[in-house]
Amino acid sequence: MEVLSFYVLLGAGAGLLSGMLGVGGGQVVVPGLLYIFHLKGFDPGVAVHMALGTSLATIVVTSISSAISHNRRGSVNWALVRKLVPGIVIGAVIGGLMSGLFSARVLRAAFGVFLLILAVQMAFSLRPSPQRALPGSPGTTATAGLIGWTSAIVGVGGGSMVVPFLAWCNVNIKSAVGTASACGAPLALAGMIGFLAAGWGRADLPAYSAGYIYWPAWLGISVCSLAFTPLGTWISHKLPVDALKRAFSVFLAIAGIRILL
């Protein structure tokens, strides 16, 4: 029951974040899964990989729900999605496949540092000033590829990087959030496939897993996230989210420090 209650909380948090901020929710899912996998006695050598891979698998569902909600409100720029997705998918697949080359310590450190950087960005509302239009196809593909690779390595949906990039390119912030949510599903699916392949056939994985994906956690989190994503989208369109972002930044900072330690 304790594990089940955590799945419910993680799913609710992931859904709210996805709807409000255009992120996939991996920022709360990965730390939560690390705690749950510790409780369940998973091998520490694979627990981090499984937390990242399972997080990406849940983001596939969460991002689809978020994209549908944002599209109903007209905030998804599908032309931008089509420009970003090829690079994002290529980068995410490579990142997922490369995950097997890194030790649990390296992946844990990468995720902890990512959380601390994101905490600072949210706490101080650091957002690049709109300065230019979207770069040409090579520049867009390269940037999207880097976002996809980084997102897969740290098990997140990429919205925390896609939104600032689009804002820097003079895209309206609500459109940037909606567009990032639409990019999250193909990114997460590509990264998930990479983690699936990287861990395939390992004998030290727990039951009910395939590669680095733990399906019971995926099911519990995904079902709950579907229920809360529309609420997060409503909040993003009705309420100022800066105060919520600052409060969330405190959680990110604490989680990042604990993971690094």
Side-chain angles (χ1 to χ4, degrees):
M1 288 302 297
E2 183 180 4
V3 170
L4 180 61
S5 65
F6 267 110
Y7 289 159
V8 171
L9 290 174
L10 289 178
L16 287 172
L17 284 175
S18 182
M20 285 192 302
L21 307 178
V23 301
Q27 294 86 346
V28 296
V29 171
V30 173
L33 287 178
L34 286 174
Y35 177 72
I36 292 172
F37 292 166
H38 172 72
L39 287 180
K40 293 177 71 66
F42 285 9
D43 183 346
V46 299
V48 177
H49 295 75
M50 296 200 67
L52 298 174
T54 305
S55 171
L56 288 169
T58 65
I59 291 169
V60 175
V61 178
T62 306
S63 295
I64 291 174
S65 176
S66 177
I68 291 172
S69 297
H70 280 285
N71 188 56
R72 286 172 179 164
R73 296 176 180 272
S75 58
V76 178
N77 186 326
W78 290 105
L80 287 179
V81 172
R82 287 190 290 271
K83 289 181 179 180
L84 292 169
V85 162
I88 279 176
V89 168
I90 293 171
V93 169
I94 294 173
L97 290 172
M98 288 181 64
S99 67
L101 302 177
F102 299 119
S103 68
R105 184 185 298 272
V106 170
L107 291 177
R108 181 186 293 270
F111 184 74
V113 170
F114 173 78
L115 287 188
L116 291 179
I117 293 173
L118 188 58
V120 172
Q121 187 268 329
M122 284 191 171
F124 297 99
S125 296
L126 301 179
R127 188 179 297 157
S129 301
Q131 295 183 1
R132 54 166 299 160
L134 202 71
S137 294
T140 299
T141 301
T143 303
L146 181 60
I147 290 173
W149 182 87
T150 305
S151 299
I153 289 294
V154 296
V156 300
S160 54
M161 289 172 276
V162 173
V163 172
F165 171 64
L166 293 180
W168 182 62
C169 295
N170 274 299
V171 177
N172 174 273
I173 189 61
K174 289 191 181 298
S175 180
V177 170
T179 302
S181 70
C183 291
L187 187 161
L189 180 61
M192 183 193 80
I193 291 172
F195 272 87
L196 195 68
W200 192 261
R202 289 193 59 148
D204 54 351
L205 298 178
Y208 309 113
S209 62
Y212 289 128
I213 315 296
Y214 185 60
W215 294 115
W218 171 81
L219 180 62
I221 294 170
S222 298
V223 169
C224 295
S225 70
L226 285 174
F228 282 86
T229 300
L231 176 59
T233 304
W234 180 86
I235 292 173
S236 74
H237 284 264
K238 297 294 184 181
L239 301 176
V241 297
D242 283 345
L244 294 172
K245 288 171 66 176
R246 291 190 183 96
F248 183 54
S249 71
V250 176
F251 163 80
L252 292 178
I254 295 172
I257 292 171
R258 286 182 59 85
I259 286 173
L260 287 174
L261 295 178

